[in-house]
Amino acid sequence: MLDQRLLRDNPELIVEQLGRRGMTLNLTALQLIARQERDLEQQRSDLQAEGNRIGRQVGELIRGGAAPHSPEVQALRDRGNTIKQQVAVLEEEEKSLETRLREQLLAFPNLPSPHCPDGAGEAENVERRRWGIPRMPVAGEPALEEHWQIAERLGLIDSERSVRIAQSRFVTLLGAGARLERALISFMLDQHASRGYREMLPPILVNSASLTASGQLPKFAEESFSCADDDLWLTPTAEVPITSFHRDEILAAEQLPLKYAAYTPCFRREAGSYGRDTRGLIRLHQFNKVELYWFCHPDESEAAHAQLTADAEAVLQALELPYRVLDLCTGDLGFSAARTFDLEVWLPGAGTYREISSCSTCGDFQARRASIRFKDGKKTRLLHTLNGSGLAVGRTMAALLETGQQADGSVRLPQALVPYMGCDRLLPEA
RNA sequence: GGAGAGGUGGCCGAGUGGUCGAAGGCGCAGCACUGGAAAUGCUGUAUAGGGGCAACUCUAUCGAGGGUUCGAAUCCCUCCCUCUCCGCCA
């Protein structure tokens, strides 16, 4: 959420910065609401102050021996009642203005960071670096398979029966496939723990307040599955429960940064993606993800962003998966993010880079929505939040299958996974 | 699911209609004492919003929302949550 004070003091900055995202705004109406709301508050609190004075006077008179229904006391009572009615009217107006103001402020995305490259969309994202040598098809050898072909051939996933259990875009992992998924989750969590992250296993049903705090509500309700009877939703990312883990807290400066690594299943409707990535592990309604999350001091969030991204990259490097890093342009930036580095892993079978992690700094945007602050000396300030996948597990498996595929039909696994899998190769089931 | 108890500041805990944003204690910070520390003493120590250059001041907040009253932490209603016992259950 944007700062109300910014709306009041420097609305041009909002118009200019959201303009970088391609939005055209006119804030005059909203500013008017903000101003009216403040005037009403002033009037109301003045009236309440008078009411409080009258209340005290009545108390003093009665304790001083005045009859509770003497004309003197009665006059004060009448005045008190009048004030009460006036306050009620003002309060109602004030509340409706406040609600409108908040609704609109909640619908604005974050301001992009000054470092975020300008651009209209995906095509203008800026590649920052590459790691590893992408595997390419070799002339004379059989074509490289896509991960879903390998997975089906090796009996690692069953998509068709999953439709019977749920619907399309759900998969069931089997045998070595299920084991590999579990191994990857353990491997990622262990690696992050060794780099200073505290492991967390949060609830994956979250309430509306939690989705609002991290920015998925009110604008993106159609992206999440809901259990409407209970005001609970299936979390679309661990970012949601982790943000709200510290909602409404004031942390000590010495506690910062707080770094969490959480494994959760994630649930997304994937509305509007009909027909895209329909096979395999790339785009599912339910997928596993290990999420990295920092709560940090505002002065340190830029360095934290680099570190968090490096921590996610370290997983890819340990798994020997070539990737590139994109600096998302303003037009491709997510709602809550001020700046985002996407990690895209190379998929040799598909012959393309695919997003496998999105590492964002949100500045104080989520902290303001969630009211998460820290003590900076005597002052209480909003802290900064950052999140990134470390990594999306299904997509990691897809990359491993495509990268490790061998001419004999088996899949070679990276050394780092051997302790977790108990083997260095996936073989066709006998 | 049934029965009962309860939700007060960073924590414990008092407070059943009036000057209570809230006693007391713990914790924390500053100062004094000390060679230094402990102990002790003094002072300070919630959040949000409005006004003011500032000192400061006004309003709201005692789980949430509503009601009664001139006045509510205190009385009434609804909801949420926690705890104890019973039942059920991985």
Side-chain angles (χ1 to χ4, degrees):
Chain A
M1 187 162 62
L2 301 182
D3 193 350
Q4 277 196 44
R5 260 165 296 205
L6 193 61
L7 176 67
R8 216 156 57 204
D9 303 339
N10 197 356
E12 298 79 16
L13 183 78
I14 298 178
V15 173
E16 180 193 316
Q17 291 304 311
L18 291 186
R20 294 177 64 208
R21 281 182 180 263
M23 298 175 70
T24 313
L25 291 176
N26 183 350
L27 292 177
T28 20
L30 198 56
Q31 275 183 281
L32 187 66
I33 293 178
R35 210 171 312 127
Q36 283 174 336
E37 199 239 309
R38 189 165 48 149
D39 291 347
L40 277 177
E41 183 184 348
Q42 189 65 56
Q43 284 180 48
R44 192 214 69 224
S45 70
D46 285 351
L47 267 177
Q48 279 174 323
E50 197 191 338
N52 288 343
R53 271 195 303 276
I54 288 171
R56 272 192 297 268
Q57 280 176 34
V58 172
E60 277 163 28
L61 285 173
I62 290 176
R63 241 173 310 109
H69 291 286
S70 64
E72 198 187 3
V73 172
Q74 195 55 51
L76 285 172
R77 279 198 182 151
D78 293 345
R79 177 72 188 130
N81 270 322
T82 311
I83 288 173
K84 192 161 55 169
Q85 282 163 20
Q86 290 170 330
V87 166
V89 172
L90 290 177
E91 239 169 16
E92 202 172 315
E93 283 178 56
E94 194 185 331
K95 216 178 258 180
S96 97
L97 286 179
E98 211 178 286
T99 308
R100 274 162 62 194
L101 188 62
R102 188 177 159 79
E103 269 170 7
Q104 298 208 39
L105 282 174
L106 279 176
F108 286 128
N110 200 359
L111 305 184
S113 140
H115 306 294
C116 187
D118 285 290
E122 212 177 329
E124 286 168 79
N125 293 337
V126 178
E127 185 176 312
R128 292 296 176 196
R129 57 184 173 272
R130 292 185 179 208
W131 184 91
I133 300 157
R135 182 172 169 185
M136 295 295 177
V138 177
E141 285 186 16
L144 294 171
E145 288 180 295
E146 291 205 50
H147 77 276
W148 53 269
Q149 297 170 303
I150 303 168
E152 279 174 19
R153 192 164 46 69
L154 298 183
L156 307 179
I157 70 174
D158 190 321
S159 299
E160 279 182 32
R161 288 195 179 92
S162 303
V163 177
R164 185 186 295 159
I165 301 173
Q167 53 173 241
S168 65
R169 289 201 190 281
F170 286 88
V171 298
T172 303
L173 295 167
L174 293 158
R179 184 183 175 95
L180 181 54
E181 185 88 356
R182 176 162 58 88
L184 283 170
I185 294 165
S186 286
F187 167 72
M188 290 176 191
L189 287 170
D190 284 351
Q191 172 153 344
H192 296 311
S194 76
R195 294 170 80 100
Y197 288 83
R198 187 173 191 195
E199 186 172 337
M200 180 192 276
L201 194 63
I204 54 178
L205 293 194
V206 297
N207 56 37
S208 297
S210 296
L211 279 172
T212 306
S214 39
Q216 284 75 16
L217 284 179
K219 281 199 87 173
F220 305 103
E222 69 287 348
E223 258 306 307
S224 298
F225 291 99
S226 70
C227 322
D229 289 349
D230 300 292
D231 182 37
L232 287 170
W233 307 66
L234 302 188
T235 192
T237 160
E239 181 190 342
V240 177
I242 304 177
T243 303
S244 282
F245 185 69
H246 287 296
R247 178 146 47 89
D248 295 321
E249 285 189 25
I250 299 172
L251 303 165
E254 307 82 66
Q255 289 177 269
L256 303 178
L258 283 171
K259 301 159 64 178
Y260 293 104
Y263 153 69
T264 66
C266 301
F267 302 88
R268 299 184 184 176
R269 300 190 85 94
E270 298 295 345
S273 63
Y274 304 108
R276 292 178 60 195
D277 310 312
T278 47
R279 315 195 76 153
L281 301 168
I282 298 297
R283 192 180 300 274
L284 297 168
H285 287 313
Q286 174 183 339
F287 62 96
N288 292 311
K289 181 158 62 67
V290 171
E291 183 78 356
L292 302 177
Y293 200 107
W294 289 49
F295 297 88
C296 80
H297 191 288
D299 295 347
E300 284 155 18
S301 63
E302 201 180 326
H305 192 203
Q307 184 58 53
L308 181 141
T309 307
D311 292 334
E313 286 177 65
V315 178
L316 288 166
Q317 293 175 10
L319 294 176
E320 302 164 35
L321 294 171
Y323 63 91
R324 63 176 183 176
V325 181
L326 298 184
D327 195 344
L328 296 195
C329 73
T330 50
D332 201 27
L333 209 55
F335 183 77
S336 297
R339 193 182 189 196
T340 298
F341 296 124
D342 267 8
L343 307 187
E344 293 192 338
V345 71
W346 177 253
L347 295 179
T352 179
Y353 282 103
R354 283 311 288 257
E355 177 188 336
I356 197 166
S357 172
S358 198
C359 300
S360 302
T361 177
C362 300
D364 62 13
F365 185 81
Q366 290 179 324
R368 184 173 295 106
R369 289 173 159 249
S371 187
I372 308 172
R373 291 155 298 167
F374 73 103
K375 277 282 180 202
D376 192 10
K378 291 217 96 178
K379 281 206 171 115
T380 308
R381 292 177 63 189
L382 293 170
L383 48 70
H384 282 191
T385 61
L386 302 96
N387 66 79
S389 341
L391 306 162
V393 181
R395 290 187 179 187
T396 304
M397 190 188 301
L400 285 171
L401 296 179
E402 294 193 16
T403 304
Q405 60 183 298
Q406 305 296 307
D408 63 5
S410 69
V411 172
R412 223 172 52 91
L413 295 173
Q415 275 306 305
L417 278 183
V418 172
Y420 292 86
M421 280 301 284
C423 61
D424 63 359
R425 204 169 271 266
L426 301 178
L427 301 168
E429 282 183 333

